[in-house]
Amino acid sequence: NTIEFSGALHATLLKQVCLKNPSNYTLAYNAFLVGRDAHDFSLPKGNTVTIPAGKQGFVNVEFTIRFLHPAEAVLLLISNKVDGIEGATMTFSLKAEVKSIEPLGIVRCRYPCYEL
């Protein structure tokens, strides 16, 4: 699965990954960001998620577009044992790209181009 982030340069984007637990046991996961541009992504609500039996949980992933080149990383979810049950390890590819460049501000000035 791939999670795509696209927006304007310097924009902060937030995506939510929904994890469903169809089992009769509580599942817990630790989330890790790995890869070339992992330092540009963050987990603002922490890196652990607990999913009660038959419910769903969410992992928030945030990315701030700082450069023009595309960014890539991997979201790795590793299960912790809860009630003696362990869930499957999951991975998600994170890809980000700049779709537009908008000025942060405009500065107007007058200055002579040359002096006699």
Side-chain angles (χ1 to χ4, degrees):
N1 292 333
T2 300
I3 301 168
E4 295 182 6
F5 296 81
S6 62
L9 186 64
H10 302 298
T12 298
L13 308 169
L14 180 70
K15 295 285 182 160
Q16 220 175 35
V17 180
C18 178
L19 305 172
K20 294 180 181 178
N21 180 5
S23 75
N24 295 327
Y25 302 98
T26 299
L27 296 175
Y29 285 93
N30 283 335
F32 300 95
L33 295 166
V34 295
R36 181 186 76 195
D37 301 308
H39 58 279
D40 291 328
F41 293 87
S42 66
L43 302 166
K45 291 203 172 184
N47 66 338
T48 59
V49 61
T50 302
I51 311 164
K55 304 273 180 168
Q56 60 188 14
F58 297 94
V59 175
N60 292 330
V61 181
E62 191 174 81
F63 177 72
T64 300
I65 302 174
R66 299 184 311 136
F67 301 107
L68 292 176
H69 68 78
E72 294 180 358
V74 173
L75 172 63
L76 182 62
L77 296 165
I78 299 175
S79 176
N80 285 336
K81 277 191 180 181
V82 176
D83 299 332
I85 301 299
E86 214 172 312
T89 298
M90 295 181 277
T91 60
F92 297 89
S93 176
L94 306 175
K95 296 187 182 235
E97 65 179 336
V98 175
K99 287 291 185 184
S100 64
I101 300 173
E102 307 211 1
L104 294 176
I106 297 175
V107 177
R108 296 184 187 271
C109 60
R110 287 185 174 202
Y111 197 79
C113 292
Y114 63 92
E115 288 185 33
L116 291 176

